[in-house]
Amino acid sequence: MPVLKNISFLATCRDEGAQGDLHSIRDAALAWDDSQITWVGREVDLSGEYPGADQLDAGGRLVIPGLVDCHTHLAFAGWRTEEFVQRALGKSYLEIAQSGGGIMRTVCLTREADPQTLLKHCRGVLDQMVELGVTAVECKSGYGLDLETELKILSIYRDLNGSHPVRIASTYLGAHVVPAEFKGNRSDYLDLVCSEVIPAVSQADLASFCDVFVEESAFSLDEARQVFAAGRKHGLRPKVHADQLSSGGGAELAAEVDAVSADHLECASDAGIEKMAEAGTVAVALPLASLYLNQVQLQVRKLINGGVRVAVATDFNPGSSPSFHLPLGMTLLCVGSQMTPAEALKAATIYAAKAMEMDGITGSIEEGKLADFAIIDAPDPDHWLYHFRPNACTGTFVGGRQVWGQGA
Ligand SMILES: [Zn+2]
């Protein structure tokens, strides 16, 4: 039975209290048995409890729950470097999409890609996420948009869930954009999503959630309602890409359909925020996407003051967020969103776990939860996010097993 000692600051990140309440313990220790946490407290209170335990030393560092990246588009083929350059030269995201770039470009490449290549790409990214302290990831499909490729992508996530230490929750995002072959024929595409793909995904038990990109250039509120109703019928809970580029009632819709989370929200209305608070919908901030699109960062104070829990994720994808660096996203929230480091840490752990319905097993350091945690080379969360470095994580544990760092 292992015990981790010499923790200068243990951020337990329990759900209770406000966004900034980390429920931290100074000079702490942590013990676990197989995969579950059995004891958390001050090291002085540990004496005699675990005499024969394996003793591990945190070196006076910060220990946090394993980070949770609750919004990624992990499986795709091909990067879109040239669009990054085009945007630097002044082209907008929409202009690029209209000239053959954007999501449809990735869809074409992903349809052609063989599963082994996609699997290798995903595995490579997850390995690097683990080095940053990430232990759970939500993965969306949506770069296939036909039955065959959507099932191909979701099957890769299922394979990874059994073979990679990171915990994965899968989301079917058929309603990402209307694919080129259905242009001018939107209702036929929605029929395919609702009557063929959703039942097939559910039948094969390949996803927990379904997501819709609600935006002027993507899907309307009514179209989203149709997809969510079909999803519900087949056991897929709603998540929404809402109000990213324009205020379109996405936050209100998320509350109406009892979505697990509403993500982006840069342009969400006050009424929408109020409804989200009433419904208990988690807001997911995606600061790396705002950075790459040179958008003003989500103003989280309105959400937090309104009683909405705010999570943070990378939105990792080849277009608007080609980075999977969650700690960078957390620092960006402090700089551009007036969020404190403590609030950003709860956003990347327990609230992110809530946004993918894994908060019952991970996202906080408590007795009975899985021993998913990371050792960070900093005295406390404030200093960690202030003194930003490429990687301050020195050890990552999933289910009590060290998967990265010295000794892994
Ligand atoms: Zn996204």
Side-chain angles (χ1 to χ4, degrees):
M1 184 181 301
V3 177
L4 180 65
K5 291 180 166 180
N6 197 14
I7 303 168
S8 68
F9 189 112
L10 178 70
T12 70
C13 297
R14 290 202 318 271
D15 189 18
E16 306 93 75
Q19 176 101 27
D21 289 341
L22 295 180
H23 308 285
S24 56
I25 306 168
R26 298 263 180 190
D27 304 315
L30 164 67
W32 62 96
D33 189 358
D34 295 328
S35 60
Q36 271 186 342
I37 296 168
T38 52
W39 191 90
V40 184
R42 283 176 56 82
E43 190 175 323
V44 289
D45 299 328
L46 181 73
S47 55
E49 284 253 5
Y50 294 90
D54 295 338
Q55 310 273 331
L56 302 169
D57 189 330
R61 297 187 179 92
L62 161 69
V63 170
I64 61 169
L67 296 173
V68 177
D69 194 340
C70 64
H71 182 141
T72 80
H73 304 253
L74 183 68
F76 59 83
W79 294 95
R80 304 209 311 259
T81 316
E82 62 289 348
E83 295 179 16
F84 177 67
V85 180
Q86 284 170 359
R87 286 205 303 274
L89 292 170
K91 281 226 168 110
S92 75
Y93 191 76
L94 281 179
E95 280 170 331
I96 290 167
Q98 279 156 5
S99 62
I103 294 170
M104 267 322 286
R105 168 109 187 99
T106 302
V107 169
C108 292
L109 294 171
T110 306
R111 284 176 178 174
E112 287 164 12
D114 73 275
Q116 283 311 314
T117 308
L118 288 171
L119 184 70
K120 199 170 158 221
H121 152 87
C122 294
R123 199 178 282 284
V125 172
L126 291 177
D127 287 347
Q128 294 173 78
M129 286 177 157
V130 163
E131 293 182 10
L132 297 170
V134 174
T135 58
V137 178
E138 186 255 11
C139 301
K140 298 178 197 295
S141 67
Y143 288 127
L145 306 181
D146 58 22
L147 177 68
E148 189 194 339
T149 318
E150 289 294 306
L151 295 181
K152 176 172 81 178
I153 294 170
L154 292 170
S155 301
I156 287 169
Y157 296 153
R158 181 180 56 193
D159 292 351
L160 283 165
N161 215 4
S163 64
H164 197 281
V166 161
R167 305 183 195 285
I168 290 176
S170 300
T171 299
Y172 167 57
L173 175 60
H176 198 185
V177 287
V178 175
E181 66 270 23
F182 284 90
K183 214 171 170 194
N185 207 352
R186 307 175 63 84
S187 62
D188 281 3
Y189 182 62
L190 284 163
D191 268 357
L192 174 77
V193 167
C194 298
S195 312
E196 280 190 52
V197 189
I198 286 178
V201 166
S202 164
Q203 176 90 37
D205 198 17
L206 285 176
S208 304
F209 307 104
C210 70
D211 195 339
V212 178
F213 194 10
V214 178
E215 196 62 55
E216 252 173 57
S217 58
F219 293 89
S220 71
L221 296 172
D222 276 341
E223 290 169 340
R225 285 187 184 100
Q226 205 181 317
V227 174
F228 289 138
R232 279 266 182 225
K233 201 171 126 196
H234 290 91
L236 304 181
R237 278 95 69 202
K239 285 171 83 71
V240 194
H241 277 73
D243 303 321
Q244 180 188 8
L245 305 170
S246 55
S247 179
E252 289 89 334
L253 175 77
E256 175 194 317
V257 299
D258 196 20
V260 182
S261 73
D263 305 29
H264 282 298
L265 297 170
E266 286 88 343
C267 305
S269 73
D270 291 351
I273 291 171
E274 209 172 294
K275 291 205 167 115
M276 280 177 60
E278 280 164 25
T281 312
V282 178
V284 180
L286 303 168
L288 292 163
S290 302
L291 173 75
Y292 275 101
L293 296 178
N294 198 23
Q295 241 190 339
V296 174
Q297 292 287 346
L298 176 66
Q299 293 310 293
V300 298
R301 292 259 64 91
K302 249 192 336 194
L303 288 150
I304 293 173
N305 294 343
V308 178
R309 290 183 177 91
V310 179
V312 59
T314 62
D315 196 14
F316 176 58
N317 75 77
S320 59
S321 186
S323 167
F324 48 77
H325 205 301
L326 188 54
L328 172 60
M330 295 164 73
T331 290
L332 284 173
L333 282 183
C334 300
V335 175
S337 295
Q338 295 184 304
M339 206 174 203
T340 65
E343 289 171 334
L345 179 54
K346 215 155 163 181
T349 54
I350 188 67
Y351 292 171
K354 220 173 243 302
M356 50 198 259
E357 292 189 334
M358 274 199 193
D359 53 311
I361 57 167
T362 193
S364 61
I365 298 177
E366 305 179 62
E367 285 161 25
K369 281 215 175 170
L370 292 165
D372 298 350
F373 59 90
I375 303 172
I376 305 291
D377 184 23
D380 55 51
D382 294 353
H383 191 78
W384 172 36
L385 296 184
Y386 148 74
H387 178 40
F388 179 78
R389 285 156 288 165
N391 190 13
C393 176
T394 62
T396 308
F397 290 71
V398 181
R401 193 166 68 83
Q402 187 166 10
V403 292
W404 192 75
Q406 233 177 12

